[in-house]
Amino acid sequence: MKREISFLFMVLFSFSIFFILGCGRTFESKITFKGKVYYAWTKSFFNGVSTVTVLDPTNPASDAIVNVVGYDDVAHTDSSGSYKLTIKTYRQFLSNNKDLYTIQAMCPRSFSSEKIASDEYTTVYARPGDTIEVRPLLLYEYTEEEKNF
């Protein structure tokens, strides 16, 4: 009888330790994404041999819209192009796996009508309880003529 009780105690103790250590993120059901969004224009210059065109991402995109594809939550960037987006996710029990999330940056509705900017997407891995620093996102601005080119 003592042997069975001792075995049961060891099993329960082992399970409780495993449960406590494995569930550090069990009760966290949110993921936070932070980053910046910039407008990028084409910039041409003569390098001595030919004209080179590059993207110039120097202007922060204020009031741009950022969301996670498949989720209803959105964030707007501030005047420096920074955003912080928190989404609610499903809780994971005893799992250390990260899921893949697609972040999308879009132009604000107040963007001027003669200029158009493309959306940008990036993917990141995260799990509940994480705060993820997302790489800078670029909204490439082009004119209607460039779009039809």
Side-chain angles (χ1 to χ4, degrees):
M1 181 73 172
K2 281 186 177 184
R3 183 181 244 182
E4 292 168 351
I5 292 174
S6 182
F7 177 74
L8 183 60
F9 177 74
M10 287 301 292
V11 168
L12 288 174
F13 179 75
S14 298
F15 179 73
S16 63
I17 293 296
F18 178 71
F19 185 74
I20 290 169
L21 293 177
C23 292
R25 299 174 186 276
T26 298
F27 303 108
E28 292 289 335
S29 60
K30 294 180 181 180
I31 301 173
T32 300
F33 301 97
K34 294 172 21 177
K36 287 193 168 206
V37 181
Y38 295 95
Y39 288 125
W41 288 270
T42 54
K43 182 179 184 180
S44 298
F45 62 92
F46 187 71
N47 67 0
V49 178
S50 63
T51 300
V52 178
T53 302
V54 296
L55 283 176
D56 182 19
T58 54
N59 296 319
S62 60
D63 204 33
I65 302 165
V66 180
N67 75 323
V68 177
V69 175
Y71 291 82
D72 294 332
D73 303 306
V74 296
H76 293 268
T77 57
D78 61 16
S79 60
S80 68
S82 299
Y83 67 89
K84 182 177 178 182
L85 173 61
T86 301
I87 62 168
K88 293 182 180 179
T89 61
Y90 295 108
R91 292 182 180 176
Q92 299 178 359
F93 293 93
L94 302 176
S95 174
N96 203 20
N97 296 335
K98 293 184 176 187
D99 291 323
L100 189 64
Y101 296 91
T102 301
I103 312 298
Q104 177 184 17
M106 299 172 277
C107 265
R109 291 187 179 97
S110 62
F111 203 58
S112 86
S113 60
E114 67 273 358
K115 303 253 182 182
I116 303 166
S118 61
D119 295 352
E120 177 155 21
Y121 298 85
T122 190
T123 54
V124 295
Y125 285 96
R127 62 180 170 229
D130 282 350
T131 297
I132 302 295
E133 290 286 335
V134 180
R135 70 165 177 81
L137 300 170
L138 295 179
L139 297 176
Y140 170 65
E141 183 180 329
Y142 54 91
T143 63
E144 190 65 35
E145 293 81 28
E146 290 172 319
K147 178 183 176 189
N148 295 326
F149 181 66

